[in-house]
Amino acid sequence: MNVFKQRFGVWMEDVVKYSRYVANGGLLFTLYFTLIYGAFVYNQFLLDLDPAFPSEWILALLWLLLPLGHRPRTLIQEADQVFLLPRLGEMQAYMTGVRLFNVVFAAVRAILAMLVVLPLLVRTQALTSIEVGAILATSVLIAVAGRLAKLEGIKYVVLPSALASGFLILFGVPLLTPVPALIPFILLHVRRNRRIPLLDWLLLEEKSKAQFNRVVSWFVDVPAMREDVRERSFIVSLLERSVLKRADAARYVYGLRVMRSNDSLDLVLRLSAVALVVMWLSGGWYVGLVVPLFVGLTALQLVPLFKRLDTVSMASWLPITRSERLTAYKWWATRLLFAQMLALGVASLLFGATWDALVGLGLAYLVVRYYLNRLT
């Protein structure tokens, strides 16, 4: 049996299995509400949009971002470094399957991004259907090239082409934008059979699977995965000078985990940035209501994180009770959520909120207290 088809079947079984948990979770309804509200705000923004709005600059920036941040799936397992060695002759078909698998993912990612940007372009630019098709094709090509470049271990090969396509759209030549986007595929085609990157693809698979598990862990327990942490030496030094001096070991360990991971402090920063964009687009009396929406979305993800950390964190090794560990994590979660709430409250005033800012802060406070009370 073809190795790729076998691995792809296992991957599909995992996705279907965990999707059932996601469909039954409360977070999905929150995401639905967020998307509906965001679509309403974006539609109002488009209706009142000045035709002189520089939408082509937004598209050029999007093309620079599309090649970045990809987490390709390779379906490689750690044991493959040994057990696939006798089957190296079949690896070419496997690698082709992996590339096609990731091409589909990259194309879907580009199309979803263009569903947001294309209405903006059509509102402000006089584009023909052929030019719209060329812009869509360019987006897909750039996204696919960026993902394949990650598979081949080639850094920044797509950025010059994305920059060139961006310049063409700025100069009003959308029909030519796919030409620079095709250039990286020449180098990618040359490099694709140069080696069998088992170790590199294993690392990519571990990172991608860890990201998938972090999302699923909001709904159900999953096996612990290794994950990258950021150094952030300045923040760590502040923790050592303050928390560690008070000999609060649990609070210090959880502080390190919260400040250096992608699913705690980074989560707060990402959702806060999205909230600021929504406030900027809305600009109405309901700006203040954005605060409880995004604070609640943050709390909904931070609170279940404790259950996973309670089993894999270093704090579980320390001679302290679970109650003390719970108090330490709640201490950090409370400060993160209240800091986000106050920052977004101030931002809502800057974006035109009045009395609704107080309503939003009040609702956000109730949401935070509700989720923190569920932290047991």
Short mmCIF file of all heavy atoms in Angstrom, two decimals, residues 99 141-155 157-158 181-194:
data_model
loop_
_atom_site.label_atom_id
_atom_site.label_comp_id
_atom_site.label_asym_id
_atom_site.label_seq_id
_atom_site.Cartn_x
_atom_site.Cartn_y
_atom_site.Cartn_z
N ARG A 99 3.75 17.10 -1.12
CA ARG A 99 3.73 18.42 -1.77
C ARG A 99 2.33 18.79 -2.26
O ARG A 99 1.88 19.92 -2.06
CB ARG A 99 4.74 18.43 -2.91
CG ARG A 99 6.20 18.36 -2.46
CD ARG A 99 7.16 18.54 -3.62
NE ARG A 99 8.55 18.47 -3.19
CZ ARG A 99 9.32 17.41 -3.35
NH1 ARG A 99 8.85 16.32 -3.94
NH2 ARG A 99 10.58 17.41 -2.92
N LEU A 141 -0.59 31.49 -6.07
CA LEU A 141 0.78 31.12 -6.42
C LEU A 141 1.76 31.52 -5.31
O LEU A 141 2.66 30.75 -4.96
CB LEU A 141 1.17 31.80 -7.73
CG LEU A 141 0.51 31.26 -9.01
CD1 LEU A 141 0.84 32.15 -10.19
CD2 LEU A 141 0.95 29.83 -9.28
N ILE A 142 1.59 32.70 -4.77
CA ILE A 142 2.50 33.16 -3.71
C ILE A 142 2.37 32.29 -2.46
O ILE A 142 3.37 31.89 -1.84
CB ILE A 142 2.22 34.64 -3.39
CG1 ILE A 142 2.66 35.53 -4.56
CG2 ILE A 142 2.95 35.07 -2.12
CD1 ILE A 142 2.30 36.98 -4.39
N ALA A 143 1.12 31.96 -2.08
CA ALA A 143 0.91 31.13 -0.90
C ALA A 143 1.47 29.73 -1.10
O ALA A 143 2.12 29.16 -0.22
CB ALA A 143 -0.58 31.07 -0.57
N VAL A 144 1.23 29.15 -2.27
CA VAL A 144 1.73 27.80 -2.56
C VAL A 144 3.25 27.78 -2.58
O VAL A 144 3.89 26.88 -2.02
CB VAL A 144 1.16 27.31 -3.91
CG1 VAL A 144 1.88 26.04 -4.37
CG2 VAL A 144 -0.33 27.05 -3.79
N ALA A 145 3.86 28.78 -3.22
CA ALA A 145 5.33 28.84 -3.26
C ALA A 145 5.92 28.99 -1.86
O ALA A 145 6.94 28.39 -1.54
CB ALA A 145 5.76 30.00 -4.16
N GLY A 146 5.27 29.78 -1.02
CA GLY A 146 5.76 29.95 0.34
C GLY A 146 5.72 28.66 1.14
O GLY A 146 6.65 28.34 1.89
N ARG A 147 4.66 27.88 0.95
CA ARG A 147 4.56 26.62 1.69
C ARG A 147 5.53 25.59 1.16
O ARG A 147 6.16 24.85 1.93
CB ARG A 147 3.12 26.09 1.59
CG ARG A 147 2.75 25.11 2.68
CD ARG A 147 1.28 24.82 2.61
NE ARG A 147 0.83 23.98 3.72
CZ ARG A 147 0.34 24.43 4.87
NH1 ARG A 147 0.24 25.72 5.07
NH2 ARG A 147 -0.05 23.60 5.82
N LEU A 148 5.69 25.52 -0.16
CA LEU A 148 6.65 24.57 -0.74
C LEU A 148 8.09 24.95 -0.38
O LEU A 148 8.94 24.08 -0.18
CB LEU A 148 6.48 24.52 -2.25
CG LEU A 148 5.19 23.89 -2.77
CD1 LEU A 148 5.14 23.93 -4.29
CD2 LEU A 148 5.03 22.46 -2.27
N ALA A 149 8.36 26.26 -0.30
CA ALA A 149 9.70 26.70 0.09
C ALA A 149 10.03 26.24 1.51
O ALA A 149 11.17 25.89 1.82
CB ALA A 149 9.81 28.22 -0.02
N LYS A 150 9.01 26.23 2.39
CA LYS A 150 9.22 25.74 3.75
C LYS A 150 9.54 24.25 3.73
O LYS A 150 10.39 23.77 4.49
CB LYS A 150 7.96 26.01 4.57
CG LYS A 150 8.16 25.98 6.07
CD LYS A 150 8.90 27.19 6.56
CE LYS A 150 9.01 27.24 8.08
NZ LYS A 150 7.71 27.54 8.71
N LEU A 151 8.89 23.51 2.85
CA LEU A 151 9.17 22.08 2.73
C LEU A 151 10.58 21.82 2.23
O LEU A 151 11.25 20.88 2.66
CB LEU A 151 8.16 21.43 1.78
CG LEU A 151 6.76 21.14 2.33
CD1 LEU A 151 5.88 20.61 1.21
CD2 LEU A 151 6.81 20.13 3.47
N GLU A 152 11.03 22.64 1.28
CA GLU A 152 12.36 22.43 0.69
C GLU A 152 13.47 23.08 1.51
O GLU A 152 14.64 22.94 1.17
CB GLU A 152 12.39 22.99 -0.74
CG GLU A 152 11.33 22.42 -1.67
CD GLU A 152 11.45 20.92 -1.85
OE1 GLU A 152 12.55 20.38 -1.63
OE2 GLU A 152 10.44 20.28 -2.19
N GLY A 153 13.11 23.78 2.58
CA GLY A 153 14.13 24.40 3.43
C GLY A 153 14.79 25.60 2.80
O GLY A 153 15.96 25.89 3.08
N ILE A 154 14.07 26.32 1.92
CA ILE A 154 14.61 27.52 1.27
C ILE A 154 13.94 28.75 1.90
O ILE A 154 12.72 28.90 1.83
CB ILE A 154 14.33 27.52 -0.24
CG1 ILE A 154 14.75 26.20 -0.87
CG2 ILE A 154 15.05 28.67 -0.92
CD1 ILE A 154 14.36 26.07 -2.32
N LYS A 155 14.73 29.60 2.50
CA LYS A 155 14.17 30.76 3.17
C LYS A 155 14.12 31.97 2.23
O LYS A 155 15.02 32.20 1.44
CB LYS A 155 15.01 31.13 4.40
CG LYS A 155 14.93 30.10 5.53
CD LYS A 155 15.70 30.59 6.74
CE LYS A 155 15.58 29.59 7.89
NZ LYS A 155 16.32 30.04 9.09
N VAL A 157 12.82 32.82 -0.44
CA VAL A 157 12.91 32.77 -1.90
C VAL A 157 11.67 33.39 -2.55
O VAL A 157 11.72 33.87 -3.68
CB VAL A 157 13.12 31.32 -2.38
CG1 VAL A 157 11.89 30.49 -2.10
CG2 VAL A 157 13.44 31.28 -3.86
N VAL A 158 10.55 33.41 -1.82
CA VAL A 158 9.30 33.89 -2.39
C VAL A 158 9.12 35.39 -2.18
O VAL A 158 8.40 36.04 -2.94
CB VAL A 158 8.11 33.12 -1.79
CG1 VAL A 158 6.81 33.44 -2.52
CG2 VAL A 158 8.36 31.62 -1.85
N ALA A 181 5.19 35.88 -9.63
CA ALA A 181 4.81 34.83 -8.68
C ALA A 181 5.17 33.44 -9.19
O ALA A 181 5.26 32.49 -8.39
CB ALA A 181 3.32 34.91 -8.39
N LEU A 182 5.36 33.29 -10.50
CA LEU A 182 5.73 31.99 -11.07
C LEU A 182 7.23 31.70 -10.95
O LEU A 182 7.63 30.54 -11.02
CB LEU A 182 5.32 31.93 -12.54
CG LEU A 182 3.82 31.76 -12.83
CD1 LEU A 182 3.54 32.00 -14.30
CD2 LEU A 182 3.34 30.38 -12.41
N ILE A 183 8.03 32.73 -10.79
CA ILE A 183 9.49 32.56 -10.81
C ILE A 183 10.00 31.62 -9.71
O ILE A 183 10.86 30.77 -9.97
CB ILE A 183 10.18 33.93 -10.75
CG1 ILE A 183 9.84 34.73 -12.01
CG2 ILE A 183 11.69 33.78 -10.59
CD1 ILE A 183 10.39 36.15 -12.01
N PRO A 184 9.52 31.71 -8.45
CA PRO A 184 10.05 30.81 -7.41
C PRO A 184 9.86 29.33 -7.72
O PRO A 184 10.62 28.50 -7.24
CB PRO A 184 9.26 31.21 -6.15
CG PRO A 184 8.79 32.58 -6.41
CD PRO A 184 8.55 32.67 -7.87
N PHE A 185 8.87 28.99 -8.54
CA PHE A 185 8.61 27.58 -8.83
C PHE A 185 9.74 26.95 -9.65
O PHE A 185 9.91 25.74 -9.64
CB PHE A 185 7.28 27.43 -9.57
CG PHE A 185 6.08 27.68 -8.70
CD1 PHE A 185 5.52 28.94 -8.60
CD2 PHE A 185 5.54 26.65 -7.93
CE1 PHE A 185 4.42 29.17 -7.80
CE2 PHE A 185 4.45 26.88 -7.12
CZ PHE A 185 3.88 28.14 -7.04
N ILE A 186 10.50 27.80 -10.34
CA ILE A 186 11.64 27.27 -11.10
C ILE A 186 12.68 26.71 -10.13
O ILE A 186 13.15 25.56 -10.26
CB ILE A 186 12.26 28.37 -11.98
CG1 ILE A 186 11.22 28.89 -12.98
CG2 ILE A 186 13.49 27.85 -12.71
CD1 ILE A 186 11.70 30.08 -13.80
N LEU A 187 13.06 27.51 -9.12
CA LEU A 187 14.03 27.05 -8.12
C LEU A 187 13.47 25.89 -7.31
O LEU A 187 14.19 24.93 -6.99
CB LEU A 187 14.42 28.21 -7.20
CG LEU A 187 15.42 27.88 -6.09
CD1 LEU A 187 16.72 27.37 -6.67
CD2 LEU A 187 15.67 29.12 -5.22
N LEU A 188 12.19 25.95 -6.97
CA LEU A 188 11.58 24.87 -6.20
C LEU A 188 11.58 23.56 -6.99
O LEU A 188 11.78 22.48 -6.42
CB LEU A 188 10.15 25.25 -5.81
CG LEU A 188 10.01 26.37 -4.78
CD1 LEU A 188 8.56 26.80 -4.66
CD2 LEU A 188 10.55 25.94 -3.43
N HIS A 189 11.38 23.65 -8.30
CA HIS A 189 11.41 22.45 -9.14
C HIS A 189 12.82 21.86 -9.19
O HIS A 189 13.00 20.64 -9.15
CB HIS A 189 10.92 22.78 -10.55
CG HIS A 189 10.95 21.60 -11.47
ND1 HIS A 189 10.02 20.58 -11.42
CD2 HIS A 189 11.81 21.27 -12.48
CE1 HIS A 189 10.30 19.68 -12.34
NE2 HIS A 189 11.37 20.07 -13.00
N VAL A 190 13.82 22.72 -9.24
CA VAL A 190 15.21 22.26 -9.30
C VAL A 190 15.60 21.59 -7.98
O VAL A 190 16.30 20.58 -7.97
CB VAL A 190 16.15 23.43 -9.62
CG1 VAL A 190 17.60 23.01 -9.47
CG2 VAL A 190 15.88 23.97 -11.02
N ARG A 191 15.12 22.15 -6.85
CA ARG A 191 15.53 21.65 -5.54
C ARG A 191 14.76 20.43 -5.07
O ARG A 191 15.18 19.75 -4.12
CB ARG A 191 15.34 22.77 -4.50
CG ARG A 191 16.33 23.91 -4.61
CD ARG A 191 17.71 23.51 -4.11
NE ARG A 191 17.69 23.16 -2.72
CZ ARG A 191 17.95 24.01 -1.73
NH1 ARG A 191 18.27 25.27 -2.02
NH2 ARG A 191 17.93 23.63 -0.48
N ARG A 192 13.64 20.10 -5.70
CA ARG A 192 12.72 19.13 -5.10
C ARG A 192 13.27 17.72 -5.03
O ARG A 192 12.87 16.94 -4.16
CB ARG A 192 11.39 19.14 -5.85
CG ARG A 192 11.44 18.56 -7.24
CD ARG A 192 10.13 18.80 -7.98
NE ARG A 192 10.16 18.19 -9.31
CZ ARG A 192 9.66 17.01 -9.58
NH1 ARG A 192 9.10 16.30 -8.63
NH2 ARG A 192 9.70 16.52 -10.81
N ASN A 193 14.20 17.33 -5.88
CA ASN A 193 14.74 15.97 -5.85
C ASN A 193 16.20 15.92 -5.36
O ASN A 193 16.87 14.92 -5.52
CB ASN A 193 14.67 15.33 -7.24
CG ASN A 193 13.24 15.13 -7.68
OD1 ASN A 193 12.40 14.77 -6.88
ND2 ASN A 193 12.97 15.36 -8.96
N ARG A 194 16.66 17.02 -4.77
CA ARG A 194 18.06 17.08 -4.37
C ARG A 194 18.36 16.18 -3.17
O ARG A 194 19.45 15.65 -3.04
CB ARG A 194 18.44 18.53 -4.06
CG ARG A 194 19.89 18.72 -3.68
CD ARG A 194 20.27 20.19 -3.64
NE ARG A 194 20.16 20.81 -4.95
CZ ARG A 194 20.51 22.08 -5.19
NH1 ARG A 194 20.95 22.83 -4.21
NH2 ARG A 194 20.38 22.57 -6.40
#
